[in-house]
Amino acid sequence: MPSPFPNSAHLSTLLLLLLFTAPSSLSAPSLPSGDVDLLEFPLNLEYLEAEYFLWGALGYGLDIIAPNLSLGGPAPIGVRKANLDPFVRDIVTQFGYQEVGHLKAIKQRVKGFPRPLLDLRAKNFATVIDNALGKALVPPFDPYANGLNYLLASYIIPYVGLTGYVGANPNLQSSVAKRLVAGLLGVEAAQDAVIRTLLYQQLDRKVHPYNISVAEFTDKISILRNKLGGAGIKDEGLVVPPELGAEGKISGNVIAGDEYSIAYARTPQEILRIGYGTGNESKPGGFFPSGADGRIARSYLGKDEY
């Protein structure tokens, strides 16, 4: 009676077959082109956040932490280590490394593109703040000067990305892309909630030397983003009229949301208008002086080819 177990020769052959066939069977499924575009587009903001948080906390960025992720893209302009207290520095360091993970996660699914040119000069943040407040602050606002300024500048960035993920999700076709975006959204939303909470604790504090409260800063920044986005209210400060608060009953607004406390959604066009600071998805500027990358962003610049 023959043995029910394979002999060594058969076993070796079986193992070789498994070895050479397993990678193709376990490889990530290909994604619809629309999903690829919607997954690549957020790399622009993930690059921006990674460099801003890493440099702010550590004094260096992707070119030291993970040079393979930047793909030879130009170094960010004007970014530097911020004057942070140990508590805020710890949180910002966590944010920075989280953004490195986000870049890796996206690039496991799509080809991606090199880090675009990023303008993270204090002067650029000062321009955003001046536009929000409707006047030029003296001295100019410096996000790197202290922890409060850095948190106010941080208020400008992650929220825009999370609204983009909310907007992208219903347009995705594959479960793989939807799972990735849901995971990215969860962490981006948490980052924004941490920033808003830290600022909410200092709601009435006057930002030195401007005699303008933290509450007014956040309100004006949100109003500016709504204006630039050009799609109505999708942004709210830390304090709102009670009728705009949760269930129309409270003015505290540590987490922004619509009338049902559901996160707002933005399109790529709206995000480009805000990120460029021009209100025009076809006119680069702001944090992306040479424009964002990826097929969606490039299409608005008349550069939809790779």
Side-chain angles (χ1 to χ4, degrees), residues 163-288:
T163 59
Y165 284 131
V166 175
N169 197 55
N171 295 314
L172 296 169
Q173 299 179 47
S174 71
S175 59
V176 171
K178 289 181 178 180
R179 172 63 184 89
L180 176 55
V181 165
L184 293 165
L185 171 59
V187 174
E188 293 291 336
Q191 289 179 352
D192 182 63
V194 169
I195 293 166
R196 292 177 72 100
T197 299
L198 292 174
L199 290 172
Y200 193 77
Q201 291 176 318
Q202 308 176 73
L203 205 58
D204 297 321
R205 179 178 172 182
K206 301 295 185 181
V207 180
H208 181 76
Y210 309 117
N211 199 35
I212 300 172
S213 71
V214 168
E216 184 175 354
F217 262 87
T218 63
D219 183 57
K220 297 296 187 182
I221 291 170
S222 288
I223 290 173
L224 175 64
R225 289 190 299 209
N226 282 328
K227 179 182 177 182
L228 291 172
I233 296 177
K234 297 190 175 182
D235 217 306
E236 298 171 339
L238 296 174
V239 179
V240 294
E243 59 270 21
L244 295 180
E247 289 302 293
K249 298 182 182 299
I250 191 166
S251 60
N253 197 43
V254 72
I255 297 176
D258 66 13
E259 61 181 312
Y260 301 108
S261 294
I262 301 297
Y264 292 104
R266 282 193 169 107
T267 66
Q269 297 97 308
E270 293 167 42
I271 291 171
L272 291 171
R273 295 167 194 162
I274 296 169
Y276 291 168
T278 62
N280 185 336
E281 63 270 30
S282 299
K283 186 177 180 182
F287 296 115
F288 300 93

Side-chain angles (χ1 to χ4, degrees), residues 79-91:
V79 66
R80 66 178 194 266
K81 190 174 183 178
N83 182 26
L84 306 177
D85 63 76
F87 177 70
V88 173
R89 187 177 305 282
D90 181 21
I91 290 174

Side-chain angles (χ1 to χ4, degrees), residues 6-16:
N7 60 33
S8 59
H10 289 158
L11 184 59
S12 298
T13 302
L14 179 61
L15 289 174
L16 286 172

Side-chain angles (χ1 to χ4, degrees), residues 43-67 69-71 73-82 92 95-100 103 114-120 125 144 150 157 287-288:
L43 284 172
N44 291 291
L45 288 179
E46 298 290 0
Y47 275 125
L48 178 67
E49 293 173 33
E51 296 293 5
Y52 178 65
F53 290 137
L54 289 173
W55 272 94
L58 304 174
Y60 48 85
L62 288 175
D63 290 333
I64 298 297
I65 298 293
L69 292 178
S70 62
L71 298 178
I77 303 171
V79 66
R80 66 178 194 266
K81 190 174 183 178
V92 174
F95 286 179
Y97 281 113
Q98 288 164 5
E99 298 306 330
V100 173
L103 289 167
R115 174 183 55 203
L117 181 63
L118 304 171
D119 188 346
L120 290 167
F125 283 96
Y144 306 108
Y150 192 85
I157 301 173
F287 296 115
F288 300 93

Side-chain angles (χ1 to χ4, degrees), residues 122-186:
K123 178 181 179 181
N124 194 37
F125 283 96
T127 297
V128 174
I129 297 298
D130 287 352
N131 289 339
L133 295 173
K135 62 181 178 181
L137 295 183
V138 180
F141 179 84
D142 182 355
Y144 306 108
N146 54 65
L148 179 57
N149 281 21
Y150 192 85
L151 288 173
L152 286 168
S154 299
Y155 179 90
I156 297 171
I157 301 173
Y159 181 74
V160 178
L162 83 85
T163 59
Y165 284 131
V166 175
N169 197 55
N171 295 314
L172 296 169
Q173 299 179 47
S174 71
S175 59
V176 171
K178 289 181 178 180
R179 172 63 184 89
L180 176 55
V181 165
L184 293 165
L185 171 59

